[in-house]
């Protein structure tokens, strides 16, 4: 005799990290029917690459060992599996140039991976008939076929349609689902580039970086961030250590000057947009060869684009629709935790949908997800903005308002406290506290709290 439990239809819009990780978990549940629609026709390398922190690794493990294995099988060793590894933050400018001020993302077995390689691993976990590429959502609406019932209707760019019980928007920073939930004119709907960030990045064979451009081999085996007022340098080993992703992020130069919106289209560097290495002659010698390599006309695969994030959304769900990952809380790429927050979203929803056996329980599950995830994910987004300003050696007034307390300089005059970036001791404390907030979080407890909230809401709705 077959099961009498009705199958619940779920559509995930977007086949990025959060969408595929969630789908990998949900497609194992026999009471769910899951389909992923991804706008892009395929996946390609783009961005800095990922060196996932402890909370990301923990979130993947909670979704399932196969998800964690997909990451490990496609990633590059940063160190031995039983050795704790970190991302090093080094001052590249100023009186303390060359000094190590932070070790972020401490975890054993830590690796680096390109976004495309991680997606390639995750997509293998989803049945081929449950994912459709080249399918861009352009419009959605809710239909009420009967009292107490809601169906979500989806219209795609090619004119095709779909109908589902639940929509999970994992469609990135320019999310159609976010626009539907918040409204196209809501001030938090569209992404922002308040600090006018512009990124220059190249992908280059590791041996070429060493032999042709004089990159110190040490920095081809670890993830490093080198900070300074003209831009901070980031270098990540990829593809089992055979490729380097090297970039410079510069604050205050992206156009247009308006911070209201941004466009993240990647383009080759031109004479007007290229990186000028002469501006970095005061940087520490460890950083200068990397900058010159990125700026060199002979370096292939070099591009530039602006980056952005979201102002806080007032909610993440309405009825039987929710947004996750960058669709919900896109952050600047400077705290190294954007993908981790997307994976935390997926871990929570995967855990909740174990318990969703009736369509009318979807709303309670999505609201429980919002309750446990919204504040934390938005706090991490705020942290990433602050990290960017710290990396750019901004003064304390741009970090958290005026500096606290007074100190006396050599002339004996009273002044504000030394800027954070001129005080390595304060910097270490700042980064240690921030790293603990993201890295040492109790993910099992977060899942448990989500279930407790779900059960409370189910009892409330049943009265």
């Amino acid at each position: 005799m077959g099961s009498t439990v009705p199958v619940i239809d779920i559509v995930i819009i977007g086949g990025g990290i959060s969408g595929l990780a969630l789908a990998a978990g949900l497609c194992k549940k026999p009471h769910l029917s899951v389909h992923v629609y991804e706008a892009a026709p395929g996946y390609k390398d783009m961005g800095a690459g990922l060196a996932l922190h402890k909370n990301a690794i923990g979130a993947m493990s909670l979704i399932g060992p196969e998800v964690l294995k997909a990451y490990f099988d496609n990633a590059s060793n940063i160190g031995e599996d039983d050795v704790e590894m970190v991302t090093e933050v080094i001052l590249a400018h100023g009186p303390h140039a060359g000094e190590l001020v932070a070790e972020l993302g401490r975890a054993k077995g830590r690796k680096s991976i390109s976004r495309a390689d991680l997606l390639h691993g995750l997509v293998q976990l989803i049945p081929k008939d449950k994912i459709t590429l080249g399918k861009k959502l352009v419009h959605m609406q809710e239909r009420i076929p009967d009292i107490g019932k809601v169906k979500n209707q989806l219209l795609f760019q090619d004119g095709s349609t779909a109908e589902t019980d639940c929509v999970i928007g994992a469609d990135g920073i320019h999310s159609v689902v976010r626009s539907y939930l918040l409204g196209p004119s809501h001030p938090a709907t569209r992404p922002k580039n308040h600090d006018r960030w512009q990124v220059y990045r190249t992908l280059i064979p590791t041996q070429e970086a060493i032999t042709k451009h004089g990159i110190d081999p040490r920095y081809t085996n670890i993830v490093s961030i080198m900070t300074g007022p003209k831009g901070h340098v980031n270098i990540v080993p990829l593809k089992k250590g055979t490729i380097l992703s090297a970039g410079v992020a510069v604050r205050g130069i992206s156009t247009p000057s308006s911070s209201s919106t941004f466009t993240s289209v990647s383009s080759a560097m031109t004479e007007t947009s290229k990186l000028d290495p002469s501006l970095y002659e005061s940087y520490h010698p460890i950083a200068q060869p990397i900058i010159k390599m990125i700026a060199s006309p002979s370096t292939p695969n070099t591009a530039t684009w602006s980056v952005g994030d979201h102002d806080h959304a007032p909610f993440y769900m309405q009825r039987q629709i929710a947004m996750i990952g960058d669709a919900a809380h896109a952050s600047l790429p400077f705290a190294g935790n954007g993908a981790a927050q997307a994976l935390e979203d997926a871990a929570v929803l995967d855990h909740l949908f174990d318990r969703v056996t009736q369509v009318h329980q979807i709303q309670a599950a999505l609201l429980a997800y919002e309750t446990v995830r919204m504040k934390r994910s938005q706090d991490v987004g705020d942290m990433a903005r602050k990290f960017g300003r710290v990396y750019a050696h901004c003064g304390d007034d741009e970090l958290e308002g005026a500096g606290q307390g007074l100190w006396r300089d050599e002339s004996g005059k009273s002044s504000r406290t030394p800027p954070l970036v001129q005080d390595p001791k304060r910097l270490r404390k700042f980064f240690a506290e921030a790293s603990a907030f993201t890295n040492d979080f109790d993910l099992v407890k977060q899942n448990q709290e989500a279930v407790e909230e779900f059960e409370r809401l189910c009892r409330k709705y049943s009265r």
Side-chain angles (χ1 to χ4, degrees), residues 328-344:
H329 46 74
S331 63
L332 294 171
F334 305 140
N337 220 253
Q341 291 307 301
L343 289 164
E344 286 190 28

Side-chain angles (χ1 to χ4, degrees), residues 6-11 26 31-34 142 148-152 163-168 316-323 348-349 352-370 450 453-455 457-458 461:
V7 173
I8 297 170
D9 290 317
I10 299 176
V11 163
L26 297 185
H31 64 289
L32 303 179
S33 174
V34 180
E142 293 161 276
K149 293 185 178 181
V150 177
K151 285 288 186 178
N152 298 291
E163 189 170 83
T164 185
D165 297 315
C166 176
V167 176
I168 306 294
Y316 284 2
M317 59 75 62
Q318 290 287 309
R319 294 168 296 281
Q320 292 170 198
I321 304 170
M323 52 186 177
V348 168
L349 280 172
L352 285 166
F353 271 95
D354 276 335
R355 293 151 179 83
V356 178
T357 58
Q358 302 289 332
V359 171
H360 67 80
Q361 296 173 319
I362 293 173
Q363 183 170 350
L366 299 184
L367 184 53
Y369 149 75
E370 177 188 281
E453 179 65 7
F454 169 72
E455 292 173 345
L457 289 167
C458 286
Y461 294 156

Side-chain angles (χ1 to χ4, degrees), residues 179-190:
S179 181
Y180 177 79
L181 286 174
L182 301 187
S185 62
H186 191 283
T189 294
R190 300 188 68 184

Side-chain angles (χ1 to χ4, degrees), residues 39-50:
Y43 297 114
K44 62 180 181 178
D45 284 331
M46 189 174 177
L50 306 168

Side-chain angles (χ1 to χ4, degrees), residues 51-58 87 104-105 107 110 335-337 340 435 438-439:
L52 296 180
H53 292 191
K54 180 180 175 182
N55 59 319
I57 294 169
T87 295
L104 306 177
R110 203 166 161 227
N337 220 253
S435 183
T438 56
N439 214 37

Side-chain angles (χ1 to χ4, degrees), residues 208-290:
E208 182 179 340
I210 295 170
T211 59
K212 182 177 178 181
H213 297 282
I215 304 303
D216 186 333
R218 179 178 186 274
Y219 297 103
T220 67
N221 294 305
I222 61 173
V223 179
S224 298
I225 298 167
M226 305 169 189
T227 73
K230 297 290 185 180
H232 66 267
V233 178
N234 175 232
I235 188 164
V236 183
L238 299 173
K239 294 189 180 296
K240 306 293 185 182
T242 62
I243 297 290
L244 283 182
S245 172
V248 179
V250 185
R251 179 175 181 257
I253 67 167
S254 178
T255 56
S257 59
S258 169
S259 65
S260 59
T261 59
F262 91 107
T263 303
S264 58
V265 176
S266 175
S267 62
M269 290 194 293
T270 64
E271 284 300 312
T272 57
S273 68
K274 70 180 183 180
L275 187 66
D276 183 357
S278 69
L279 298 176
Y280 301 86
E281 292 176 351
S282 60
Y283 273 43
H284 192 278
I286 61 171
Q288 289 196 39
I290 302 170

